[in-house]
mmCIF file of all heavy atoms in Angstrom:
data_model
loop_
_atom_site.group_PDB
_atom_site.id
_atom_site.type_symbol
_atom_site.label_atom_id
_atom_site.label_comp_id
_atom_site.label_asym_id
_atom_site.label_seq_id
_atom_site.Cartn_x
_atom_site.Cartn_y
_atom_site.Cartn_z
ATOM 1 N N LEU A 1 -33.344 -18.669 87.524
ATOM 2 C CA LEU A 1 -32.610 -19.882 87.195
ATOM 3 C C LEU A 1 -31.108 -19.649 87.229
ATOM 4 O O LEU A 1 -30.611 -18.677 86.661
ATOM 5 C CB LEU A 1 -33.010 -20.374 85.800
ATOM 6 C CG LEU A 1 -34.473 -20.765 85.618
ATOM 7 C CD1 LEU A 1 -34.788 -20.989 84.151
ATOM 8 C CD2 LEU A 1 -34.793 -22.018 86.431
ATOM 9 N N THR A 2 -30.388 -20.559 87.861
ATOM 10 C CA THR A 2 -28.932 -20.517 87.810
ATOM 11 C C THR A 2 -28.459 -21.138 86.493
ATOM 12 O O THR A 2 -29.232 -21.776 85.769
ATOM 13 C CB THR A 2 -28.320 -21.312 88.972
ATOM 14 O OG1 THR A 2 -28.651 -22.702 88.811
ATOM 15 C CG2 THR A 2 -28.851 -20.818 90.317
ATOM 16 N N THR A 3 -27.176 -20.948 86.192
ATOM 17 C CA THR A 3 -26.593 -21.558 85.005
ATOM 18 C C THR A 3 -26.822 -23.066 84.996
ATOM 19 O O THR A 3 -27.219 -23.645 83.981
ATOM 20 C CB THR A 3 -25.081 -21.259 84.968
ATOM 21 O OG1 THR A 3 -24.912 -19.845 84.844
ATOM 22 C CG2 THR A 3 -24.406 -21.951 83.796
ATOM 23 N N ARG A 4 -26.603 -23.720 86.133
ATOM 24 C CA ARG A 4 -26.742 -25.169 86.226
ATOM 25 C C ARG A 4 -28.187 -25.605 86.020
ATOM 26 O O ARG A 4 -28.445 -26.701 85.505
ATOM 27 C CB ARG A 4 -26.228 -25.649 87.595
ATOM 28 C CG ARG A 4 -26.098 -27.164 87.717
ATOM 29 C CD ARG A 4 -25.520 -27.540 89.096
ATOM 30 N NE ARG A 4 -24.199 -26.952 89.296
ATOM 31 C CZ ARG A 4 -23.068 -27.528 88.914
ATOM 32 N NH1 ARG A 4 -23.102 -28.696 88.297
ATOM 33 N NH2 ARG A 4 -21.914 -26.941 89.134
ATOM 34 N N GLN A 5 -29.136 -24.781 86.418
ATOM 35 C CA GLN A 5 -30.550 -25.147 86.299
ATOM 36 C C GLN A 5 -31.091 -24.989 84.881
ATOM 37 O O GLN A 5 -32.149 -25.529 84.566
ATOM 38 C CB GLN A 5 -31.380 -24.296 87.265
ATOM 39 C CG GLN A 5 -31.160 -24.634 88.726
ATOM 40 C CD GLN A 5 -31.813 -23.626 89.658
ATOM 41 O OE1 GLN A 5 -31.885 -22.436 89.372
ATOM 42 N NE2 GLN A 5 -32.312 -24.112 90.798
ATOM 43 N N LYS A 6 -30.378 -24.286 84.019
ATOM 44 C CA LYS A 6 -30.887 -24.023 82.666
ATOM 45 C C LYS A 6 -30.393 -25.032 81.625
ATOM 46 O O LYS A 6 -31.118 -25.382 80.696
ATOM 47 C CB LYS A 6 -30.487 -22.615 82.210
ATOM 48 C CG LYS A 6 -31.228 -21.494 82.930
ATOM 49 C CD LYS A 6 -30.717 -20.134 82.493
ATOM 50 C CE LYS A 6 -31.007 -19.853 81.042
ATOM 51 N NZ LYS A 6 -30.542 -18.500 80.631
ATOM 52 N N HIS A 7 -29.147 -25.485 81.751
ATOM 53 C CA HIS A 7 -28.561 -26.356 80.736
ATOM 54 C C HIS A 7 -27.728 -27.460 81.371
ATOM 55 O O HIS A 7 -27.142 -27.262 82.432
ATOM 56 C CB HIS A 7 -27.641 -25.562 79.785
ATOM 57 C CG HIS A 7 -28.334 -24.510 78.986
ATOM 58 N ND1 HIS A 7 -28.431 -23.194 79.403
ATOM 59 C CD2 HIS A 7 -28.947 -24.566 77.780
ATOM 60 C CE1 HIS A 7 -29.096 -22.499 78.495
ATOM 61 N NE2 HIS A 7 -29.424 -23.295 77.503
ATOM 62 N N THR A 8 -27.681 -28.600 80.681
ATOM 63 C CA THR A 8 -26.699 -29.635 81.000
ATOM 64 C C THR A 8 -25.762 -29.782 79.800
ATOM 65 O O THR A 8 -26.053 -29.305 78.698
ATOM 66 C CB THR A 8 -27.371 -30.993 81.290
ATOM 67 O OG1 THR A 8 -28.084 -31.425 80.120
ATOM 68 C CG2 THR A 8 -28.332 -30.876 82.460
ATOM 69 N N ARG A 9 -24.631 -30.465 80.032
ATOM 70 C CA ARG A 9 -23.663 -30.684 78.959
ATOM 71 C C ARG A 9 -23.341 -32.174 78.881
ATOM 72 O O ARG A 9 -23.071 -32.814 79.899
ATOM 73 C CB ARG A 9 -22.404 -29.853 79.196
ATOM 74 C CG ARG A 9 -22.691 -28.348 79.201
ATOM 75 C CD ARG A 9 -21.447 -27.518 79.036
ATOM 76 N NE ARG A 9 -21.734 -26.089 79.023
ATOM 77 C CZ ARG A 9 -22.124 -25.402 77.946
ATOM 78 N NH1 ARG A 9 -22.290 -26.031 76.797
ATOM 79 N NH2 ARG A 9 -22.359 -24.104 78.023
ATOM 80 N N GLU A 10 -23.387 -32.692 77.654
ATOM 81 C CA GLU A 10 -23.111 -34.103 77.417
ATOM 82 C C GLU A 10 -21.937 -34.222 76.462
ATOM 83 O O GLU A 10 -21.960 -33.629 75.368
ATOM 84 C CB GLU A 10 -24.346 -34.817 76.863
ATOM 85 C CG GLU A 10 -24.212 -36.322 76.835
ATOM 86 C CD GLU A 10 -25.543 -37.019 76.563
ATOM 87 O OE1 GLU A 10 -26.501 -36.337 76.138
ATOM 88 O OE2 GLU A 10 -25.616 -38.240 76.786
ATOM 89 N N CYS A 11 -20.911 -34.976 76.862
ATOM 90 C CA CYS A 11 -19.659 -35.049 76.117
ATOM 91 C C CYS A 11 -19.420 -36.474 75.618
ATOM 92 O O CYS A 11 -19.548 -37.434 76.386
ATOM 93 C CB CYS A 11 -18.480 -34.632 77.007
ATOM 94 S SG CYS A 11 -18.748 -33.085 77.906
ATOM 95 N N PHE A 12 -19.048 -36.581 74.343
ATOM 96 C CA PHE A 12 -18.680 -37.870 73.752
ATOM 97 C C PHE A 12 -17.217 -37.773 73.361
ATOM 98 O O PHE A 12 -16.843 -36.956 72.511
ATOM 99 C CB PHE A 12 -19.572 -38.181 72.558
ATOM 100 C CG PHE A 12 -21.012 -38.405 72.940
ATOM 101 C CD1 PHE A 12 -21.893 -37.340 73.064
ATOM 102 C CD2 PHE A 12 -21.468 -39.686 73.213
ATOM 103 C CE1 PHE A 12 -23.211 -37.538 73.434
ATOM 104 C CE2 PHE A 12 -22.791 -39.901 73.580
ATOM 105 C CZ PHE A 12 -23.669 -38.827 73.692
ATOM 106 N N VAL A 13 -16.389 -38.597 73.996
ATOM 107 C CA VAL A 13 -14.938 -38.427 73.934
ATOM 108 C C VAL A 13 -14.274 -39.685 73.391
ATOM 109 O O VAL A 13 -14.572 -40.802 73.840
ATOM 110 C CB VAL A 13 -14.372 -38.108 75.341
ATOM 111 C CG1 VAL A 13 -12.857 -37.968 75.294
ATOM 112 C CG2 VAL A 13 -15.026 -36.850 75.902
ATOM 113 N N VAL A 14 -13.370 -39.489 72.430
ATOM 114 C CA VAL A 14 -12.494 -40.552 71.957
ATOM 115 C C VAL A 14 -11.136 -40.338 72.615
ATOM 116 O O VAL A 14 -10.473 -39.324 72.370
ATOM 117 C CB VAL A 14 -12.348 -40.529 70.421
ATOM 118 C CG1 VAL A 14 -11.400 -41.648 69.967
ATOM 119 C CG2 VAL A 14 -13.708 -40.655 69.747
ATOM 120 N N ALA A 15 -10.740 -41.251 73.467
ATOM 121 C CA ALA A 15 -9.472 -41.119 74.192
ATOM 122 C C ALA A 15 -8.342 -41.797 73.417
ATOM 123 O O ALA A 15 -8.558 -42.758 72.673
ATOM 124 C CB ALA A 15 -9.590 -41.733 75.581
ATOM 125 N N GLU A 16 -7.141 -41.259 73.604
ATOM 126 C CA GLU A 16 -5.959 -41.920 73.048
ATOM 127 C C GLU A 16 -5.779 -43.279 73.719
ATOM 128 O O GLU A 16 -6.176 -43.484 74.883
ATOM 129 C CB GLU A 16 -4.706 -41.064 73.296
ATOM 130 C CG GLU A 16 -4.752 -39.673 72.674
ATOM 131 C CD GLU A 16 -4.400 -39.687 71.201
ATOM 132 O OE1 GLU A 16 -4.181 -40.786 70.646
ATOM 133 O OE2 GLU A 16 -4.357 -38.600 70.594
ATOM 134 N N GLU A 17 -5.176 -44.211 72.996
ATOM 135 C CA GLU A 17 -4.951 -45.530 73.565
ATOM 136 C C GLU A 17 -4.074 -45.430 74.820
ATOM 137 O O GLU A 17 -3.029 -44.770 74.812
ATOM 138 C CB GLU A 17 -4.267 -46.432 72.522
ATOM 139 C CG GLU A 17 -4.153 -47.877 72.961
ATOM 140 C CD GLU A 17 -3.601 -48.770 71.863
ATOM 141 O OE1 GLU A 17 -3.508 -48.296 70.702
ATOM 142 O OE2 GLU A 17 -3.262 -49.930 72.167
ATOM 143 N N GLY A 18 -4.542 -46.018 75.911
ATOM 144 C CA GLY A 18 -3.792 -46.020 77.157
ATOM 145 C C GLY A 18 -3.966 -44.768 77.995
ATOM 146 O O GLY A 18 -3.362 -44.643 79.066
ATOM 147 N N ALA A 19 -4.779 -43.824 77.547
ATOM 148 C CA ALA A 19 -4.965 -42.570 78.299
ATOM 149 C C ALA A 19 -5.728 -42.841 79.599
ATOM 150 O O ALA A 19 -6.514 -43.794 79.702
ATOM 151 C CB ALA A 19 -5.711 -41.554 77.453
ATOM 152 N N ASP A 20 -5.495 -41.987 80.589
ATOM 153 C CA ASP A 20 -6.158 -42.093 81.888
ATOM 154 C C ASP A 20 -7.551 -41.466 81.772
ATOM 155 O O ASP A 20 -7.714 -40.252 81.866
ATOM 156 C CB ASP A 20 -5.320 -41.368 82.949
ATOM 157 C CG ASP A 20 -5.896 -41.509 84.348
ATOM 158 O OD1 ASP A 20 -7.074 -41.880 84.478
ATOM 159 O OD2 ASP A 20 -5.173 -41.204 85.307
ATOM 160 N N LYS A 21 -8.570 -42.291 81.568
ATOM 161 C CA LYS A 21 -9.927 -41.792 81.340
ATOM 162 C C LYS A 21 -10.499 -41.099 82.578
ATOM 163 O O LYS A 21 -11.249 -40.118 82.460
ATOM 164 C CB LYS A 21 -10.839 -42.924 80.886
ATOM 165 C CG LYS A 21 -10.482 -43.474 79.508
ATOM 166 C CD LYS A 21 -11.430 -44.593 79.091
ATOM 167 C CE LYS A 21 -11.072 -45.120 77.706
ATOM 168 N NZ LYS A 21 -11.974 -46.227 77.297
ATOM 169 N N ALA A 22 -10.165 -41.565 83.736
ATOM 170 C CA ALA A 22 -10.659 -40.934 84.966
ATOM 171 C C ALA A 22 -10.127 -39.508 85.078
ATOM 172 O O ALA A 22 -10.854 -38.583 85.462
ATOM 173 C CB ALA A 22 -10.254 -41.760 86.184
ATOM 174 N N ARG A 23 -8.842 -39.332 84.750
ATOM 175 C CA ARG A 23 -8.273 -37.976 84.776
ATOM 176 C C ARG A 23 -8.913 -37.084 83.721
ATOM 177 O O ARG A 23 -9.241 -35.917 83.982
ATOM 178 C CB ARG A 23 -6.760 -38.041 84.545
ATOM 179 C CG ARG A 23 -6.110 -36.646 84.437
ATOM 180 C CD ARG A 23 -4.673 -36.714 83.953
ATOM 181 N NE ARG A 23 -4.504 -37.412 82.698
ATOM 182 C CZ ARG A 23 -4.800 -36.881 81.497
ATOM 183 N NH1 ARG A 23 -5.296 -35.662 81.395
ATOM 184 N NH2 ARG A 23 -4.594 -37.593 80.398
ATOM 185 N N ILE A 24 -9.121 -37.629 82.523
ATOM 186 C CA ILE A 24 -9.743 -36.842 81.449
ATOM 187 C C ILE A 24 -11.142 -36.382 81.869
ATOM 188 O O ILE A 24 -11.496 -35.212 81.725
ATOM 189 C CB ILE A 24 -9.817 -37.669 80.147
ATOM 190 C CG1 ILE A 24 -8.414 -37.889 79.581
ATOM 191 C CG2 ILE A 24 -10.712 -36.977 79.116
ATOM 192 C CD1 ILE A 24 -8.372 -38.858 78.407
ATOM 193 N N GLU A 25 -11.916 -37.313 82.427
ATOM 194 C CA GLU A 25 -13.277 -36.952 82.858
ATOM 195 C C GLU A 25 -13.233 -35.885 83.939
ATOM 196 O O GLU A 25 -14.024 -34.923 83.919
ATOM 197 C CB GLU A 25 -14.012 -38.202 83.362
ATOM 198 C CG GLU A 25 -15.435 -37.907 83.812
ATOM 199 C CD GLU A 25 -16.222 -39.168 84.119
ATOM 200 O OE1 GLU A 25 -15.678 -40.288 83.915
ATOM 201 O OE2 GLU A 25 -17.376 -39.053 84.572
ATOM 202 N N ARG A 26 -12.318 -36.024 84.882
ATOM 203 C CA ARG A 26 -12.201 -35.051 85.966
ATOM 204 C C ARG A 26 -11.816 -33.670 85.414
ATOM 205 O O ARG A 26 -12.370 -32.645 85.826
ATOM 206 C CB ARG A 26 -11.164 -35.535 86.980
ATOM 207 C CG ARG A 26 -11.044 -34.667 88.225
ATOM 208 C CD ARG A 26 -10.218 -35.366 89.292
ATOM 209 N NE ARG A 26 -8.861 -35.675 88.825
ATOM 210 C CZ ARG A 26 -8.426 -36.910 88.556
ATOM 211 N NH1 ARG A 26 -9.216 -37.961 88.688
ATOM 212 N NH2 ARG A 26 -7.168 -37.099 88.142
ATOM 213 N N GLU A 27 -10.859 -33.639 84.479
ATOM 214 C CA GLU A 27 -10.438 -32.352 83.901
ATOM 215 C C GLU A 27 -11.570 -31.681 83.131
ATOM 216 O O GLU A 27 -11.713 -30.453 83.165
ATOM 217 C CB GLU A 27 -9.223 -32.562 82.988
ATOM 218 C CG GLU A 27 -7.930 -32.808 83.742
ATOM 219 C CD GLU A 27 -6.714 -32.723 82.833
ATOM 220 O OE1 GLU A 27 -6.765 -31.966 81.834
ATOM 221 O OE2 GLU A 27 -5.700 -33.406 83.124
ATOM 222 N N ILE A 28 -12.353 -32.474 82.435
ATOM 223 C CA ILE A 28 -13.479 -31.895 81.694
ATOM 224 C C ILE A 28 -14.498 -31.297 82.665
ATOM 225 O O ILE A 28 -14.902 -30.135 82.538
ATOM 226 C CB ILE A 28 -14.146 -32.964 80.803
ATOM 227 C CG1 ILE A 28 -13.207 -33.377 79.666
ATOM 228 C CG2 ILE A 28 -15.461 -32.439 80.228
ATOM 229 C CD1 ILE A 28 -13.689 -34.587 78.878
ATOM 230 N N LYS A 29 -14.907 -32.072 83.651
ATOM 231 C CA LYS A 29 -15.992 -31.647 84.541
ATOM 232 C C LYS A 29 -15.610 -30.448 85.411
ATOM 233 O O LYS A 29 -16.486 -29.716 85.872
ATOM 234 C CB LYS A 29 -16.425 -32.814 85.435
ATOM 235 C CG LYS A 29 -17.171 -33.902 84.685
ATOM 236 C CD LYS A 29 -17.664 -34.985 85.632
ATOM 237 C CE LYS A 29 -18.556 -35.970 84.921
ATOM 238 N NZ LYS A 29 -19.092 -37.028 85.828
ATOM 239 N N THR A 30 -14.308 -30.239 85.644
ATOM 240 C CA THR A 30 -13.877 -29.125 86.495
ATOM 241 C C THR A 30 -13.328 -27.951 85.687
ATOM 242 O O THR A 30 -12.817 -26.996 86.263
ATOM 243 C CB THR A 30 -12.793 -29.603 87.481
ATOM 244 O OG1 THR A 30 -11.684 -30.140 86.751
ATOM 245 C CG2 THR A 30 -13.351 -30.659 88.426
ATOM 246 N N MET A 31 -13.444 -27.995 84.356
ATOM 247 C CA MET A 31 -12.881 -26.947 83.502
ATOM 248 C C MET A 31 -13.648 -25.636 83.702
ATOM 249 O O MET A 31 -14.844 -25.548 83.425
ATOM 250 C CB MET A 31 -12.950 -27.367 82.032
ATOM 251 C CG MET A 31 -12.145 -26.486 81.097
ATOM 252 S SD MET A 31 -12.324 -27.018 79.361
ATOM 253 C CE MET A 31 -11.623 -28.675 79.424
ATOM 254 N N PRO A 32 -12.978 -24.585 84.204
ATOM 255 C CA PRO A 32 -13.676 -23.307 84.438
ATOM 256 C C PRO A 32 -14.132 -22.680 83.125
ATOM 257 O O PRO A 32 -13.506 -22.864 82.077
ATOM 258 C CB PRO A 32 -12.618 -22.441 85.134
ATOM 259 C CG PRO A 32 -11.303 -23.062 84.763
ATOM 260 C CD PRO A 32 -11.556 -24.522 84.575
ATOM 261 N N ASN A 33 -15.246 -21.951 83.197
ATOM 262 C CA ASN A 33 -15.835 -21.227 82.059
ATOM 263 C C ASN A 33 -16.459 -22.140 81.010
ATOM 264 O O ASN A 33 -17.104 -21.658 80.086
ATOM 265 C CB ASN A 33 -14.813 -20.320 81.371
ATOM 266 C CG ASN A 33 -14.211 -19.300 82.297
ATOM 267 O OD1 ASN A 33 -14.918 -18.734 83.136
ATOM 268 N ND2 ASN A 33 -12.911 -19.061 82.173
ATOM 269 N N TYR A 34 -16.274 -23.451 81.135
ATOM 270 C CA TYR A 34 -16.827 -24.379 80.158
ATOM 271 C C TYR A 34 -17.776 -25.395 80.792
ATOM 272 O O TYR A 34 -18.918 -25.538 80.368
ATOM 273 C CB TYR A 34 -15.698 -25.102 79.403
ATOM 274 C CG TYR A 34 -14.999 -24.240 78.386
ATOM 275 C CD1 TYR A 34 -13.870 -23.500 78.742
ATOM 276 C CD2 TYR A 34 -15.471 -24.149 77.088
ATOM 277 C CE1 TYR A 34 -13.225 -22.703 77.812
ATOM 278 C CE2 TYR A 34 -14.836 -23.348 76.144
ATOM 279 C CZ TYR A 34 -13.709 -22.629 76.505
ATOM 280 O OH TYR A 34 -13.073 -21.828 75.596
ATOM 281 N N PHE A 35 -17.299 -26.105 81.828
ATOM 282 C CA PHE A 35 -18.087 -27.217 82.358
ATOM 283 C C PHE A 35 -18.307 -27.167 83.868
ATOM 284 O O PHE A 35 -19.211 -27.821 84.378
ATOM 285 C CB PHE A 35 -17.422 -28.556 81.995
ATOM 286 C CG PHE A 35 -17.323 -28.779 80.509
ATOM 287 C CD1 PHE A 35 -16.126 -28.572 79.838
ATOM 288 C CD2 PHE A 35 -18.433 -29.167 79.781
ATOM 289 C CE1 PHE A 35 -16.035 -28.759 78.473
ATOM 290 C CE2 PHE A 35 -18.358 -29.360 78.409
ATOM 291 C CZ PHE A 35 -17.157 -29.155 77.754
ATOM 292 N N ALA A 36 -17.489 -26.423 84.585
ATOM 293 C CA ALA A 36 -17.542 -26.467 86.050
ATOM 294 C C ALA A 36 -18.896 -26.038 86.605
ATOM 295 O O ALA A 36 -19.313 -26.516 87.668
ATOM 296 C CB ALA A 36 -16.429 -25.587 86.644
ATOM 297 N N ASP A 37 -19.600 -25.153 85.899
ATOM 298 C CA ASP A 37 -20.873 -24.632 86.405
ATOM 299 C C ASP A 37 -22.083 -25.427 85.925
ATOM 300 O O ASP A 37 -23.229 -25.002 86.120
ATOM 301 C CB ASP A 37 -21.043 -23.169 85.984
ATOM 302 C CG ASP A 37 -19.999 -22.265 86.635
ATOM 303 O OD1 ASP A 37 -19.561 -22.600 87.743
ATOM 304 O OD2 ASP A 37 -19.626 -21.246 86.026
ATOM 305 N N TYR A 38 -21.843 -26.579 85.286
ATOM 306 C CA TYR A 38 -22.942 -27.361 84.710
ATOM 307 C C TYR A 38 -22.892 -28.795 85.201
ATOM 308 O O TYR A 38 -21.833 -29.322 85.540
ATOM 309 C CB TYR A 38 -22.828 -27.389 83.170
ATOM 310 C CG TYR A 38 -22.931 -26.042 82.510
ATOM 311 C CD1 TYR A 38 -21.804 -25.235 82.352
ATOM 312 C CD2 TYR A 38 -24.151 -25.567 82.033
ATOM 313 C CE1 TYR A 38 -21.887 -23.995 81.743
ATOM 314 C CE2 TYR A 38 -24.245 -24.329 81.416
ATOM 315 C CZ TYR A 38 -23.114 -23.547 81.274
ATOM 316 O OH TYR A 38 -23.202 -22.318 80.677
ATOM 317 N N ASP A 39 -24.046 -29.459 85.193
ATOM 318 C CA ASP A 39 -24.075 -30.907 85.352
ATOM 319 C C ASP A 39 -23.609 -31.499 84.028
ATOM 320 O O ASP A 39 -24.259 -31.329 82.987
ATOM 321 C CB ASP A 39 -25.490 -31.390 85.689
ATOM 322 C CG ASP A 39 -25.900 -30.990 87.096
ATOM 323 O OD1 ASP A 39 -25.006 -30.790 87.943
ATOM 324 O OD2 ASP A 39 -27.111 -30.866 87.354
ATOM 325 N N THR A 40 -22.466 -32.173 84.054
ATOM 326 C CA THR A 40 -21.799 -32.645 82.841
ATOM 327 C C THR A 40 -21.651 -34.157 82.865
ATOM 328 O O THR A 40 -21.214 -34.726 83.869
ATOM 329 C CB THR A 40 -20.403 -31.989 82.708
ATOM 330 O OG1 THR A 40 -20.552 -30.574 82.652
ATOM 331 C CG2 THR A 40 -19.696 -32.475 81.450
ATOM 332 N N THR A 41 -22.018 -34.794 81.759
ATOM 333 C CA THR A 41 -21.864 -36.238 81.598
ATOM 334 C C THR A 41 -20.827 -36.505 80.526
ATOM 335 O O THR A 41 -20.856 -35.894 79.456
ATOM 336 C CB THR A 41 -23.201 -36.889 81.191
ATOM 337 O OG1 THR A 41 -24.202 -36.553 82.148
ATOM 338 C CG2 THR A 41 -23.061 -38.409 81.118
ATOM 339 N N VAL A 42 -19.897 -37.425 80.808
ATOM 340 C CA VAL A 42 -18.831 -37.761 79.860
ATOM 341 C C VAL A 42 -18.977 -39.226 79.455
ATOM 342 O O VAL A 42 -19.013 -40.114 80.306
ATOM 343 C CB VAL A 42 -17.438 -37.519 80.471
ATOM 344 C CG1 VAL A 42 -16.345 -37.942 79.480
ATOM 345 C CG2 VAL A 42 -17.265 -36.056 80.864
ATOM 346 N N HIS A 43 -19.080 -39.463 78.133
ATOM 347 C CA HIS A 43 -19.125 -40.828 77.593
ATOM 348 C C HIS A 43 -17.850 -41.064 76.790
ATOM 349 O O HIS A 43 -17.496 -40.243 75.934
ATOM 350 C CB HIS A 43 -20.326 -41.011 76.649
ATOM 351 C CG HIS A 43 -21.642 -40.620 77.236
ATOM 352 N ND1 HIS A 43 -22.379 -41.452 78.053
ATOM 353 C CD2 HIS A 43 -22.380 -39.485 77.110
ATOM 354 C CE1 HIS A 43 -23.499 -40.857 78.403
ATOM 355 N NE2 HIS A 43 -23.525 -39.653 77.842
ATOM 356 N N PHE A 44 -17.187 -42.158 77.012
ATOM 357 C CA PHE A 44 -16.028 -42.535 76.204
ATOM 358 C C PHE A 44 -16.491 -43.515 75.126
ATOM 359 O O PHE A 44 -17.104 -44.554 75.437
ATOM 360 C CB PHE A 44 -14.934 -43.149 77.081
ATOM 361 C CG PHE A 44 -14.260 -42.138 77.959
ATOM 362 C CD1 PHE A 44 -14.656 -41.976 79.281
ATOM 363 C CD2 PHE A 44 -13.257 -41.319 77.454
ATOM 364 C CE1 PHE A 44 -14.045 -41.028 80.100
ATOM 365 C CE2 PHE A 44 -12.643 -40.374 78.261
ATOM 366 C CZ PHE A 44 -13.045 -40.216 79.579
#
């Protein structure tokens, strides 16, 4: 099993008012050592 095949990550995020949610989601999903190697779902 690869890392991605063993676990998924689900994120529940409270964004600051007016924050760029698309950028926040992109930064989370591509974060090395934390999320880049996993199927990650982001909920605002």
